[in-house]
Amino acid sequence: AESRAKATRLEVTRLVVRDYYQVVAAEAVLSAARRTLATAEKNLAFVTTRKDAGFAQELDQKRAEAEVAKGRQLVADATYQVAASRRALETDSGKKPAEGAPALDADLTPEAPLADWEARSGSSHPSVRAAQDEARAAERQASATRAALLPTLSVGAQNRFTNATGFQDRSSVYALTATVALKFDATQIVNGNALGDAAVAARIREEKATAQARDRVFLAWHAVRAQIDKAQAARAGLAANQLAARIARQRYEAGTATFLDVVTAERDAFAGEVTRIQADGDLLLGRAEPRIAAGSFGKADRP
């Protein structure tokens, strides 16, 4: 029961860790949406000035106004996601999240070798220990049921003293008795066989739990490797999109590009930022998975 309780606490920990990084990612998306809105408002002011001076078309102003409206929509959606993720974290953890969130910047350092993680999983996971205890309990119950069919030997000793010896001419008499009882109960035999089969099934469940614990560590470790590559690719894509947005803005100000080029580049930059946030959030959550799958998630194990 204690092992099952620990396994349940680990599952709750998994939920809280997931909710926590969702809050951090949602806060990061909200910050990115606010920056996008501020850029759109700045672009609108610049385009309006150029239009009043006769250097921009009305279509550019309309597009700039549309981008401001879209930016406000992005902020509204991100604000909702922050509220929803914070509520989920509060519900699962029982604690009210603090305001704000740390910067979402995942470490790209590879994890320890897989063999080290698999060595940590073994029988240390509470679900594996619970399966082992249940298997032992089933075997002992089967043995106890079968033992009830074994012959029983009862031995008794009696010592009697008397001052009326009579013809015996003895003041004490000793008596020793031994009784052998053999019990045959067909129901007990059937129950013993059934409990024996249940014990075998419990051992199979133990092997399954052990294999599942190792598989969780194996899959989580490989997932981290893939997420590191995704995070690296997302950061490279974000850098390229941000550079393209700056170049498009500079070219528009110089009159060698259209405002549509600016809009497209800035949309790509925002999408790249969201992709980077998602990749870093998945990586941080992924780093927690091998630790939880190994059966522990203390302060020293937190990524």
Side-chain angles (χ1 to χ4, degrees), residues 52-225:
D52 293 340
F55 295 105
Q57 300 177 0
E58 184 178 358
L59 178 59
D60 291 344
Q61 184 179 15
K62 294 298 183 182
R63 283 174 174 165
E65 293 174 352
E67 287 304 302
V68 170
K70 184 177 180 180
R72 290 171 180 165
Q73 181 181 357
L74 292 174
V75 171
D77 291 341
T79 302
Y80 168 77
Q81 291 298 329
V82 168
S85 58
R86 283 182 171 276
R87 184 57 179 265
L89 178 58
E90 182 177 359
T91 299
D92 289 337
S93 67
K95 297 181 179 180
K96 185 175 181 60
E99 294 298 326
L104 187 62
D105 188 14
D107 183 9
L108 301 182
T109 304
E111 284 288 347
L114 177 59
D116 295 348
W117 284 107
E118 288 182 332
R120 288 180 57 181
S121 62
S123 61
S124 62
H125 197 280
S127 63
V128 176
R129 291 200 300 269
Q132 292 173 344
D133 292 339
E134 289 170 354
R136 285 194 296 269
E139 290 173 345
R140 291 177 181 179
Q141 188 174 6
S143 299
T145 302
R146 289 172 177 151
L149 296 173
L150 296 176
T152 58
L153 173 63
S154 301
V155 179
Q158 184 180 24
N159 187 6
R160 180 172 176 271
F161 295 90
T162 179
N163 56 1
T165 59
F167 295 103
Q168 295 180 0
D169 195 22
R170 291 175 177 271
S171 60
S172 63
V173 178
Y174 298 91
L176 181 65
T177 61
T179 303
V180 177
L182 179 63
K183 179 182 179 182
F184 181 80
D185 188 346
T187 303
Q188 201 78 357
I189 296 176
V190 174
N191 290 339
N193 293 334
L195 291 173
D197 294 338
V200 174
R203 283 298 177 187
I204 294 175
R205 288 193 295 271
E206 175 194 344
E207 295 176 1
K208 180 180 179 181
T210 303
Q212 287 178 338
R214 291 175 179 172
D215 289 345
R216 283 194 295 267
V217 171
F218 178 86
L219 295 176
W221 188 86
H222 282 280
V224 171
R225 289 187 61 185

Side-chain angles (χ1 to χ4, degrees), residues 27-43 67 71 74-75 238 242 249 266 269-270 272-274 276-277:
E27 290 281 1
V29 172
L30 177 58
S31 298
R34 287 171 175 168
R35 289 194 300 270
T36 299
L37 175 58
T39 301
E41 291 174 341
K42 182 179 178 180
N43 289 340
E67 287 304 302
L74 292 174
V75 171
L238 173 60
Q242 289 176 338
R249 194 176 304 111
E266 289 183 347
F270 176 75
E273 178 69 10
V274 173
R276 197 278 305 172
I277 292 170

